[in-house]
Short mmCIF file of all heavy atoms in Angstrom, two decimals:
data_model
loop_
_atom_site.label_atom_id
_atom_site.label_comp_id
_atom_site.label_asym_id
_atom_site.label_seq_id
_atom_site.Cartn_x
_atom_site.Cartn_y
_atom_site.Cartn_z
N TYR A 317 -67.95 -85.14 -128.71
CA TYR A 317 -67.71 -86.54 -128.32
C TYR A 317 -68.99 -87.25 -128.06
O TYR A 317 -69.91 -86.73 -127.40
CB TYR A 317 -66.81 -86.58 -127.07
CG TYR A 317 -65.48 -85.91 -127.27
CD1 TYR A 317 -65.28 -84.60 -126.83
CD2 TYR A 317 -64.43 -86.54 -127.90
CE1 TYR A 317 -64.06 -83.97 -127.01
CE2 TYR A 317 -63.19 -85.92 -128.09
CZ TYR A 317 -63.05 -84.64 -127.62
OH TYR A 317 -61.83 -83.99 -127.82
N VAL A 318 -69.09 -88.46 -128.60
CA VAL A 318 -70.29 -89.28 -128.46
C VAL A 318 -70.11 -90.15 -127.23
O VAL A 318 -69.18 -90.95 -127.16
CB VAL A 318 -70.56 -90.15 -129.69
CG1 VAL A 318 -71.84 -90.94 -129.52
CG2 VAL A 318 -70.62 -89.28 -130.93
N ASN A 319 -71.01 -89.99 -126.25
CA ASN A 319 -71.02 -90.77 -125.04
C ASN A 319 -69.66 -90.86 -124.35
O ASN A 319 -69.08 -91.94 -124.14
CB ASN A 319 -71.49 -92.21 -125.35
CG ASN A 319 -72.91 -92.26 -125.85
OD1 ASN A 319 -73.75 -91.44 -125.45
ND2 ASN A 319 -73.22 -93.19 -126.71
N PRO A 320 -69.05 -89.72 -124.00
CA PRO A 320 -67.82 -89.77 -123.21
C PRO A 320 -68.17 -90.36 -121.80
O PRO A 320 -69.28 -90.28 -121.34
CB PRO A 320 -67.41 -88.31 -123.10
CG PRO A 320 -68.67 -87.56 -123.22
CD PRO A 320 -69.53 -88.32 -124.17
N ILE A 321 -67.14 -90.93 -121.18
CA ILE A 321 -67.36 -91.58 -119.87
C ILE A 321 -67.05 -90.56 -118.80
O ILE A 321 -66.06 -89.84 -118.85
CB ILE A 321 -66.49 -92.85 -119.72
CG1 ILE A 321 -65.01 -92.54 -119.94
CG2 ILE A 321 -66.97 -93.92 -120.69
CD1 ILE A 321 -64.12 -93.77 -119.72
N GLU A 322 -67.92 -90.52 -117.81
CA GLU A 322 -67.74 -89.61 -116.66
C GLU A 322 -66.82 -90.28 -115.69
O GLU A 322 -66.96 -91.44 -115.29
CB GLU A 322 -69.05 -89.28 -116.00
CG GLU A 322 -68.95 -88.24 -114.91
CD GLU A 322 -70.28 -87.86 -114.30
OE1 GLU A 322 -71.29 -88.47 -114.74
OE2 GLU A 322 -70.31 -86.99 -113.41
N VAL A 323 -65.79 -89.55 -115.24
CA VAL A 323 -64.79 -90.07 -114.29
C VAL A 323 -64.70 -89.13 -113.09
O VAL A 323 -65.00 -87.94 -113.17
CB VAL A 323 -63.43 -90.25 -114.95
CG1 VAL A 323 -63.49 -91.28 -116.06
CG2 VAL A 323 -62.90 -88.92 -115.48
N VAL A 324 -64.30 -89.68 -111.95
CA VAL A 324 -64.07 -88.92 -110.75
C VAL A 324 -62.78 -89.35 -110.13
O VAL A 324 -62.38 -90.53 -110.21
CB VAL A 324 -65.27 -89.12 -109.77
CG1 VAL A 324 -65.38 -90.57 -109.32
CG2 VAL A 324 -65.13 -88.22 -108.57
N GLN A 325 -62.07 -88.41 -109.50
CA GLN A 325 -60.78 -88.71 -108.93
C GLN A 325 -60.96 -89.31 -107.55
O GLN A 325 -61.18 -88.62 -106.54
CB GLN A 325 -59.92 -87.42 -108.84
CG GLN A 325 -58.44 -87.66 -108.61
CD GLN A 325 -58.13 -88.01 -107.18
OE1 GLN A 325 -58.39 -87.23 -106.26
NE2 GLN A 325 -57.52 -89.17 -106.98
N LYS A 326 -60.87 -90.62 -107.51
CA LYS A 326 -60.96 -91.35 -106.23
C LYS A 326 -60.38 -92.75 -106.43
O LYS A 326 -60.16 -93.20 -107.54
CB LYS A 326 -62.40 -91.45 -105.75
CG LYS A 326 -63.32 -92.33 -106.59
CD LYS A 326 -64.68 -92.46 -105.94
CE LYS A 326 -65.60 -93.44 -106.70
NZ LYS A 326 -66.91 -93.59 -106.07
N ARG A 327 -60.15 -93.39 -105.29
CA ARG A 327 -59.65 -94.77 -105.30
C ARG A 327 -60.47 -95.57 -104.29
O ARG A 327 -60.50 -95.24 -103.11
CB ARG A 327 -58.15 -94.81 -104.93
CG ARG A 327 -57.58 -96.25 -104.90
CD ARG A 327 -56.07 -96.17 -104.71
NE ARG A 327 -55.71 -95.62 -103.41
CZ ARG A 327 -55.53 -96.33 -102.30
NH1 ARG A 327 -55.70 -97.66 -102.33
NH2 ARG A 327 -55.20 -95.76 -101.18
N THR A 328 -61.14 -96.58 -104.79
CA THR A 328 -61.99 -97.43 -103.91
C THR A 328 -61.09 -98.50 -103.28
O THR A 328 -60.59 -99.38 -103.98
CB THR A 328 -63.13 -98.08 -104.70
OG1 THR A 328 -63.96 -97.05 -105.29
CG2 THR A 328 -64.00 -98.92 -103.79
N VAL A 329 -60.95 -98.43 -101.98
CA VAL A 329 -60.14 -99.42 -101.25
C VAL A 329 -60.96 -100.64 -100.89
O VAL A 329 -60.50 -101.76 -100.96
CB VAL A 329 -59.52 -98.78 -99.99
CG1 VAL A 329 -58.70 -99.79 -99.22
CG2 VAL A 329 -58.70 -97.54 -100.33
N CYS A 330 -62.21 -100.38 -100.51
CA CYS A 330 -63.08 -101.49 -100.10
C CYS A 330 -64.51 -101.12 -100.41
O CYS A 330 -64.93 -99.99 -100.10
CB CYS A 330 -62.88 -101.70 -98.56
SG CYS A 330 -64.01 -102.92 -97.84
N ARG A 331 -65.22 -102.01 -101.02
CA ARG A 331 -66.64 -101.75 -101.33
C ARG A 331 -67.48 -101.88 -100.07
O ARG A 331 -67.16 -102.65 -99.16
CB ARG A 331 -67.16 -102.69 -102.41
CG ARG A 331 -66.41 -102.52 -103.72
CD ARG A 331 -67.04 -103.35 -104.84
NE ARG A 331 -66.34 -103.20 -106.08
CZ ARG A 331 -66.48 -102.20 -106.93
NH1 ARG A 331 -67.38 -101.22 -106.65
NH2 ARG A 331 -65.80 -102.10 -108.05
N GLU A 332 -68.60 -101.13 -100.02
CA GLU A 332 -69.43 -101.15 -98.84
C GLU A 332 -70.05 -102.52 -98.64
O GLU A 332 -70.60 -103.15 -99.59
CB GLU A 332 -70.52 -100.08 -98.98
CG GLU A 332 -71.29 -99.91 -97.66
CD GLU A 332 -72.20 -98.71 -97.70
OE1 GLU A 332 -73.30 -98.84 -98.28
OE2 GLU A 332 -71.84 -97.64 -97.18
N GLY A 333 -69.93 -103.02 -97.41
CA GLY A 333 -70.45 -104.36 -97.08
C GLY A 333 -69.36 -105.40 -96.98
O GLY A 333 -69.55 -106.42 -96.32
N ASP A 334 -68.20 -105.12 -97.61
CA ASP A 334 -67.07 -106.04 -97.51
C ASP A 334 -66.38 -105.86 -96.15
O ASP A 334 -66.17 -104.72 -95.69
CB ASP A 334 -66.07 -105.82 -98.63
CG ASP A 334 -66.65 -106.15 -100.02
OD1 ASP A 334 -67.72 -106.82 -100.04
OD2 ASP A 334 -66.07 -105.73 -101.00
N LEU A 335 -66.00 -106.99 -95.56
CA LEU A 335 -65.31 -106.95 -94.28
C LEU A 335 -63.87 -107.42 -94.49
O LEU A 335 -63.65 -108.55 -94.92
CB LEU A 335 -66.01 -107.81 -93.27
CG LEU A 335 -65.52 -107.77 -91.81
CD1 LEU A 335 -66.67 -107.99 -90.82
CD2 LEU A 335 -64.42 -108.78 -91.54
#
Side-chain angles (χ1 to χ4, degrees):
Y317 300 97
V318 183
N319 296 328
I321 56 178
E322 186 177 2
V323 296
V324 62
Q325 196 282 302
K326 69 175 183 178
R327 179 173 65 91
T328 301
V329 179
C330 175
R331 297 188 181 278
E332 189 170 81
D334 294 346
L335 188 148

